[in-house]
Amino acid sequence: MVPLIPAPARHVPDHGSLDIGDGTPVVASAELAAVAGLFIEDVRLDASIAFDLSSNVPSDEAPAITIMLATDDLDTVPSAGGIRADGETDADERHGIRIDNDGIRVWAATPEGVHRGLTSLRQLISAEAEAGSATLTAATIIDGPRFAWRGLSFDVARTFHGPETVRRVIDMCSRHKLNVLHLHLTDDQGWRVEVPSRPELTTIGAAGALGDRPGGYFTISEMQGLAEYAAARFVTLVPEIDMPGHTGAIFRAYPELAPIDATSGDAATGFAIGTLDPERPGTWTFVEDVLDAVIAQFPHSAYVHVGGDEAFGMKDDAHAAFVEQVTALVHARGRLAIGWQEIARASLRKGDVVQYWIDTRENEVMMNNEALQAMVPPEFLPIIAESLTKAEHDIPRALGTGAKLLISPTSRLYFDRPHAEASADPAQEEMRTRVGLPVYPPMSLRDVVEWDPADDTPGVTSDDQIAGVEAAIWCETIATQDELEFMLLPRLSGLAEKAWASPGITAWDGYAARLAAQTSAWDARGWTWFAAADVRWRAAPAAATATATGEGITV
Ligand code: TNX
């Protein structure tokens, strides 16, 4: 068992081992110094081992970690399929790691590839770390991702999770070789991004969140700081401005944009009627103002996510007209568009990506769910049922136009589903039964890994139709950072496995053993994680979930 998640494409064990620890030099040329510095900092935080940055090979016999730009053997693993969120055309994340009795060498064709290789090395080290040192088994690893877009969609609208929490989530993504953090910045319950020409979006639209949770938004300088923090870890921040539905916060800020018959909806569930009207000129000057301000704050993203989902109450032709115009405006600004699968009901532009989310095989179970019936006002039920039925045509239509899919099925990758298994730590049971949307059947850690993004997406016949794999965490039931992390970990590990590892190589028992090797680093970072009872964990979670009751926002 090599304690890596995602599983590497090639791992060849060798005889021998190597001791490294405090003071071991990390030898890097100037162009890799930033990547090396980040690795040293990460190992210190994960494993309390302090390596030293060095620009030349040590003259003594002591082992060193040498990192370099090189391509040896990298073409023995396939290059990534799918689409890059940053639009980079000569990216290459493949890398090699060689551990022998004398030292460690990590190489790749690009600094990003070296960073991914060092991420594996971090995991190997933290799995073996003890009192300032680690003994690693000799091996050669050659690895690279299956898909180029490996992401998490993060709802910061229903609960405003501030910059510090977002940085923690970026750290979690980075440790799992995930490379996209899609921020769901706007929804009925709140608007979270600054648009200087439309100040009421933040003075009024950002004021609250779901229920009585505190509001908030990212200032332009906070957003720039986050984009840089993410980029240093080779994570691309992608903005989502959800339109033409999920726009309640816009209507509170600018009532003149609201339709006459808008209802404020139910603050507890977010089911609202009322959409932006494509027939009104004011709608489009507003959308242009928003796009101009937001695009400038996301310099690394080649895409703007335009939402497009659940435009409840809108006529089909109005929805299609809206999607066609907003994607045209995105293209006019030199970016490509991505949207939830409902955008496939409009004509798509070349290069745009469709995010598959509605697993229609669950439609009946969903509509018969008592929790859904209890939560949603009765007049909404037929609207939801109709929308789920229409969803059956979205994926064939998208594929028919040649659009690629971002794979995010509710059944596998909605991380706001309740955890299905009991926790091995009784102190976590209260949180487990409280957090997660009860409208969905619960989901286990096995559910997150025992499927295939190509084989299990209706209509998909090959990886070539796939842009990548992305999970979503919606925060209707998630009020605190602690609850957020409890739903993300260890599910994020399963996401990484599906998005990166070669098809067919994941078996539950091996995966569970690799997972158990991760948690010492999670504990060292103070990350909360769910200790599902069917994994043999090495130790109980160290974070303070036992005392967390859902009170006290930590952001
Ligand atoms: C559906 S996923 C939504 C969100 C909810 C989510 C809850 C999507 C595109 N729309 O507005 O938060 O379900 O899981």
Side-chain angles (χ1 to χ4, degrees), residues 74-153:
L74 298 184
D75 58 6
T76 58
V77 300
S79 56
I83 287 179
R84 298 264 310 183
D86 62 4
E88 190 68 59
T89 48
D90 46 10
D92 193 347
E93 298 179 88
R94 291 176 294 181
H95 55 264
I97 304 167
R98 165 124 194 97
I99 303 168
D100 61 27
N101 295 334
D102 304 322
I104 300 175
R105 179 173 172 250
V106 177
W107 72 97
T110 65
E112 181 179 10
V114 171
H115 171 74
R116 303 290 177 224
L118 289 172
T119 302
S120 291
L121 187 55
R122 258 176 92 180
Q123 290 193 10
L124 297 177
I125 291 167
S126 59
E128 308 298 339
E130 243 183 78
S133 68
T135 302
L136 304 186
T137 313
T140 301
I141 293 169
I142 308 287
D143 198 9
R146 177 175 174 190
F147 295 114
W149 185 312
R150 306 178 303 278
L152 175 69
S153 167

Side-chain angles (χ1 to χ4, degrees), residues 158 246 309-310 340 357 414 416 437 440 474 476:
R158 274 56 176 268
H246 289 277
D309 60 308
E310 299 181 321
W340 299 108
W357 67 280
Y414 265 39
D416 57 331
L437 260 185
Y440 297 116
W474 303 99
E476 289 94 333

Side-chain angles (χ1 to χ4, degrees), residues 41-78:
E41 173 69 357
D42 280 331
V43 171
R44 192 180 65 75
L45 293 171
D46 290 350
S48 299
I49 297 176
F51 295 144
D52 290 332
L53 183 60
S54 166
S55 52
N56 41 28
V57 187
S59 47
D60 57 20
E61 297 287 284
I65 299 168
T66 307
I67 67 177
M68 61 185 69
L69 296 176
T71 57
D72 318 14
D73 298 332
L74 298 184
D75 58 6
T76 58
V77 300

Side-chain angles (χ1 to χ4, degrees), residues 267-280:
T269 61
F271 288 103
I273 296 274
T275 50
L276 284 166
D277 182 354
E279 297 292 332
R280 287 196 225 169

